[in-house]
Amino acid sequence: MPILTVKISARRSDTLTDKVAAMLAEHTSTILGKKPEVTAIAISYIDPRDWIIAGKSLQSHGKSSFALEIKVTDETNTKDEKKRYIEAVFSGFADILGDIHEESYIHVHDVRAASYGYGGKTQEFRYQHP
């Protein structure tokens, strides 16, 4: 039941949204073992003129970028799984966006089960009452 929020430096398009969502859903499921039916993905687009890295806009750099945050229940993924996920997602964005700036970020938040949930129930409750 992860929630993924991603910002992309590009003009919004349905095609781009579909490609990014599919790539994220695939890696989140296959690498992190999260169920697709309870995975939520929210995508926002930012004009490359408004995304600044090292004092210059991405438009000036001639590159694209992204920032992904994913919240997962603490202790449900290993360091190796998170490492593989970060590598695969970075590569996936490079395939989709082309020339991405190295300063594109992926942050996996390990959230305590008692303080995270959906449908009005915490993950701790779901663990205790399968």
Side-chain angles (χ1 to χ4, degrees):
M1 54 125 306
I3 175 72
L4 293 80
T5 53
V6 61
K7 296 176 184 171
I8 302 171
S9 67
R11 176 174 285 181
R12 190 207 176 286
S13 80
D14 291 342
T15 301
L16 185 54
T17 294
D18 291 346
K19 286 180 182 180
V20 168
M23 180 269 294
L24 290 174
E26 174 69 19
H27 292 322
T28 302
S29 174
T30 60
I31 298 171
L32 297 182
K34 306 307 179 193
K35 297 177 183 176
E37 63 271 17
V38 292
T39 297
I41 302 170
I43 300 173
S44 300
Y45 291 91
I46 299 173
D47 190 307
R49 297 171 296 180
D50 297 326
W51 192 308
I52 311 302
I53 297 176
K56 290 175 38 181
S57 71
L58 282 171
Q59 182 172 323
S60 297
H61 285 285
K63 296 185 180 272
S64 297
S65 190
F66 69 92
L68 169 69
E69 295 195 34
I70 175 173
K71 292 179 174 71
V72 298
T73 306
D74 192 25
E75 299 182 348
T76 60
N77 291 104
T78 67
K79 287 181 184 181
D80 287 338
E81 288 169 332
K82 290 182 268 191
K83 175 185 177 287
R84 285 194 319 272
Y85 182 76
I86 289 169
E87 290 169 344
V89 167
F90 192 90
S91 178
F93 270 108
D95 290 344
I96 294 168
L97 297 176
D99 192 13
I100 59 173
H101 199 286
E102 185 175 276
E103 301 302 318
S104 297
Y105 294 95
I106 301 164
H107 187 168
V108 179
H109 296 271
D110 290 304
V111 183
R112 292 182 7 192
S115 61
Y116 181 55
Y118 67 97
K121 296 179 179 147
T122 68
Q123 288 304 89
E124 182 66 22
F125 177 87
R126 292 177 194 287
Y127 176 77
Q128 291 176 358
H129 303 91

